[in-house]
Amino acid sequence: MSLQERIDQTIRNVPDFPKPGIQFKDISPILENPKLSEEIVEEFANYWKGKIDAIAGVESRGFLFGFPLAMKLGIPFILIRKKGKLPYKTISHKYDLEYGSAEIEMHIDSVKPGMRVLVHDDLLATGGTAGAAAELIRMENGEISGFSFLVELEFLNGTEKLLSYSKNIHSIISY
Ligand code: AMP
């Protein structure tokens, strides 16, 4: 079975979470399978090797594969967190959600000018979160090398929001 088929069979689809009409892609069963998790990191590493200088992972599921990937590639991992969580000086960016808005932050000394940064999260839905992360990297004069996701929900057209930052948008599995 291909890696994609095994991921597909392992992800748990939870209907109507967190609200009616949303089918939540729960990756918890993947995390309970260390061999599959290792193969996922390997797949990401083969794709991004040599193309990036750092990985910015989006809280919190973006940390799960993002940090092991950064260690495997021998490059820094940068935390992007919800407002109020990072202890040192931060820059922040506010973005719109379907209802209301959200704000994310990054430490001011994480991205160096010209650094080639990959934005990573577990799942691409509308692209709002990954796009906001890209804004933070731009504010620090980093170069956005691409976007990386384990899962992409293609029918939500999230890539459209991201193409102005980078054309290199890679997901292991799409629905
Ligand atoms: P978005 O900003 O719309 O691209 O949403 C992406 C963020 O929301 C990611 O951090 C995902 O973990 C989470 N997310 C959105 N939709 C789902 C879904 N159907 N299943 C699991 N996670 C989701």
Side-chain angles (χ1 to χ4, degrees), residues 17-18 22-27 58-62 95 97 121-131 149 153 155-156 158 161:
F17 183 88
I22 305 276
Q23 189 194 60
F24 195 86
K25 299 276 178 201
D26 179 17
I27 64 166
V58 185
E59 177 175 357
S60 57
R61 287 186 298 272
Y95 62 103
L97 297 173
D121 202 355
D122 69 324
L123 182 141
L124 172 64
T126 65
T129 311
F149 307 94
L153 302 181
F155 56 93
L156 294 174
K161 269 211 187 89

Side-chain angles (χ1 to χ4, degrees), residues 99-159:
Y99 302 102
S101 65
E103 197 164 350
I104 54 170
E105 293 184 333
M106 184 174 76
H107 278 144
I108 53 162
D109 56 355
S110 296
V111 172
K112 319 287 181 239
M115 205 181 214
R116 297 173 301 164
V117 184
L118 173 70
V119 174
H120 171 79
D121 202 355
D122 69 324
L123 182 141
L124 172 64
T126 65
T129 311
E135 282 294 330
L136 289 177
I137 291 154
R138 246 192 200 169
M139 282 160 80
E140 297 289 50
N141 300 310
E143 193 188 299
I144 297 135
S145 302
F147 295 90
S148 145
F149 307 94
L150 177 59
V151 181
E152 177 182 340
L153 302 181
E154 254 172 24
F155 56 93
L156 294 174
N157 296 319
T159 53

